[in-house]
């Protein structure tokens, strides 16, 4: 797989992001939270999560073991093994052949189980649950059932077609209300992946700190610290000097000290850009109406555009680039409205929440 750059992804090399992400989902606590919190099917409650174990080693072929973006877990369900094929999809573009890939990988897994003797002659193959976790900004449009990729056959040939479906968790399409479970590590992972404000990151870090405070989660805490340090914070604050820390508590403390500073910096950057635009517009008008009047108008326009640009930048980071309608609304807003919206975005779950009460 050759990931393509994504504007919302980390400025760090994509491989670093992939490795850190895979490390998180190499912990049984995270896999359990993923199944419990985001699959939502009845059979999930019947799993014996104490038996969760990552499949690796002697009886998985190089074709599967060497796939950098995939993890294979197994867990007992009513006494029998159920295999979880977890594919972490980091590409910024949607793979239209994902259903075919999943079918091929499932076949390779079955072959290995037979070859290794894990499934013996006369026994049935175990169930496999393929789950694709996708974190790209582009909405997922690929077929989820292999049959959707095959031409409709003549006559009764359709009964000979393969049939398999995969389950999709699309991070950027998850309803914010589904992320309110602060005890769920995957909810916090998605919040950290999709957040645009330091305050959001701090809330997720605080939740993780409480959830993983027990000694048995020491390795998982460390995996989160490395990922947040090297990926999340550098995506959120490109170009800033971010000290390496060793504990989630240290990240929480650092964010508490610098959240307001970073927010003000964004506003200053937006104000500076707005002043430049406003002064340019004012000077142009000043050629006709008088330089003094033009400069005054430019400064006023600059201040207004500064706040509007700051808010537009935050909206882009938090949700998506503002639509033409939203841009027009920002330009037409009063200073009081812009100030209120800048406060609203700190806690807004949706774009509509930003503009509430006005």
């Amino acid at each position: 797989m050759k990931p393509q750059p994504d504007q919302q992804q980390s400025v760090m090399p994509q491989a670093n992001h992939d490795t850190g992400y895979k490390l998180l989902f190499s912990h049984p606590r995270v896999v359990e939270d993923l199944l419990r919190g985001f699959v939502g099917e009845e059979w999930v409650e019947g799993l014996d999560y104490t038996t969760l174990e990552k499949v690796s080693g002697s009886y998985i072929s190089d074709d599967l073991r060497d796939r950098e973006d995939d993890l294979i877990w197994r867990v007992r369900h009513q006494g029998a093994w159920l295999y979880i094929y977890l594919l972490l999809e980091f590409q910024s573009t949607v793979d239209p052949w994902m259903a075919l890939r999943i079918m091929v990988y499932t076949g390779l897994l079955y072959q290995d189980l037979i070859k290794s003797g894990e499934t013996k002659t006369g026994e049935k193959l175990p169930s496999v649950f393929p789950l694709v976790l996708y974190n790209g900004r582009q909405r997922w449009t690929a077929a989820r059932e292999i049959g959707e990729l095959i031409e409709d056959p003549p006559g009764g040939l359709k009964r000979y077609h393969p049939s398999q479906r995969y389950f999709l968790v699309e991070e950027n399409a998850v309803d914010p209300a589904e992320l309110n479970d602060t005890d769920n590590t995957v909810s916090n992972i998605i919040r950290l992946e999709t957040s645009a404000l330091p305050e959001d990151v701090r809330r997720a870090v605080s939740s993780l700190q409480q959830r993983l405070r027990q000694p048995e989660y020491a390795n998982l805490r460390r995996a989160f610290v490395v990922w947040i340090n090297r990926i999340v914070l550098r995506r959120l604050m490109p170009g800033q000097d971010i000290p390496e820390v060793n504990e989630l508590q240290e990240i929480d403390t650092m964010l508490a000290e610098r959240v307001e500073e970073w927010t003000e910096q964004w506003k200053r950057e937006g104000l500076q850009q707005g002043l430049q635009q406003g002064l340019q517009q004012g000077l142009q008008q000043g050629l006709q109406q008088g330089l003094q009047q033009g400069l005054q108008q430019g400064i006023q326009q600059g201040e207004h555009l500064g706040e509007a640009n700051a808010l537009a930048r935050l909206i882009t980071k938090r949700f998506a680039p503002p639509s033409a309608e939203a841009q027009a609304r920002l330009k037409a807003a009063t200073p009081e409205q812009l100030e209120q919206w800048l406060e609203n975005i700190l806690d807004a779950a949706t774009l509509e929440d930003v503009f509430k009460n006005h």
Side-chain angles (χ1 to χ4, degrees), residues 126-140:
S127 296
V128 173
F129 176 61
L131 189 155
V132 175
L133 181 63
Y134 170 65
N135 71 343
R137 291 188 67 183
Q138 180 180 344
R139 291 303 303 268
W140 190 264

Side-chain angles (χ1 to χ4, degrees), residues 116-305:
S116 68
E118 187 72 18
T119 300
K120 299 176 176 58
T121 303
E123 296 179 342
K124 289 188 176 182
L125 293 164
S127 296
V128 173
F129 176 61
L131 189 155
V132 175
L133 181 63
Y134 170 65
N135 71 343
R137 291 188 67 183
Q138 180 180 344
R139 291 303 303 268
W140 190 264
T141 55
R144 302 187 197 181
E145 161 66 52
I146 184 64
E148 298 177 34
L149 300 178
I150 304 173
E151 289 282 359
D152 289 335
L157 285 178
K158 189 168 186 177
R159 65 178 179 269
Y160 301 108
H161 281 187
S163 176
Q164 187 187 33
R165 185 176 183 85
Y166 63 87
F167 188 92
L168 175 70
V169 176
E170 186 178 0
E171 289 187 0
N172 281 286
V174 174
D175 188 336
E178 297 181 33
L179 303 178
N180 290 332
D181 183 2
T182 57
D183 283 340
N184 189 294
T185 56
V186 178
S187 293
N188 286 302
I189 288 173
I190 295 177
R191 288 165 66 192
L192 288 167
E193 277 278 89
T194 58
S195 66
L197 297 173
E199 183 61 34
D200 291 339
V201 174
R202 188 189 174 197
R203 288 173 186 153
V205 169
S206 297
S207 297
L208 287 169
Q209 182 186 341
Q210 292 299 315
R211 180 69 182 88
L212 305 176
R213 62 184 179 274
Q214 294 87 349
E216 61 266 29
Y217 295 132
N219 289 336
L220 181 53
R221 287 199 305 271
R222 180 57 187 163
F224 268 107
V225 168
V226 171
W227 180 63
I228 293 170
N229 256 301
R230 300 181 181 177
I231 304 300
V232 177
L233 294 183
R234 299 191 187 191
R235 168 186 62 81
L236 192 64
M237 293 154 289
Q240 294 205 30
D241 183 21
I242 302 172
E244 285 282 340
V245 296
N246 297 313
E247 281 293 339
L248 289 171
Q249 173 63 55
E250 296 179 60
I251 294 179
D252 189 27
T253 301
M254 178 181 66
L255 288 171
E257 294 173 349
R258 301 182 67 178
V259 159
E260 184 174 350
E261 173 189 337
W262 287 326
T263 303
E264 287 301 317
Q265 178 179 340
W266 287 348
K267 292 177 69 173
R268 286 196 302 271
E269 290 175 356
L271 177 60
Q272 183 178 6
Q273 182 181 359
L275 281 170
Q276 291 174 349
Q277 294 178 2
L279 284 170
Q280 183 177 4
Q281 294 176 13
L283 284 170
Q284 289 174 350
Q285 283 187 312
L287 293 175
Q288 298 175 353
Q289 300 176 359
L291 184 59
Q292 180 82 25
Q293 181 181 354
L295 282 170
Q296 291 176 348
Q297 185 174 0
I299 292 173
Q300 292 173 352
Q301 290 177 348
E303 292 175 347
H304 184 275
L305 284 171

Side-chain angles (χ1 to χ4, degrees), residues 88-121:
L88 307 175
E89 184 68 358
F90 300 111
Q91 295 186 105
S92 59
T93 55
V94 176
D95 182 359
W97 302 107
M98 178 58 74
L100 177 60
R101 285 170 57 190
I102 289 291
M103 186 182 72
V104 171
Y105 301 154
T106 302
L108 288 171
L109 174 59
Y110 279 150
Q111 283 184 338
D112 287 345
L113 293 176
I114 295 170
K115 186 186 302 183
S116 68
E118 187 72 18
T119 300
K120 299 176 176 58
T121 303

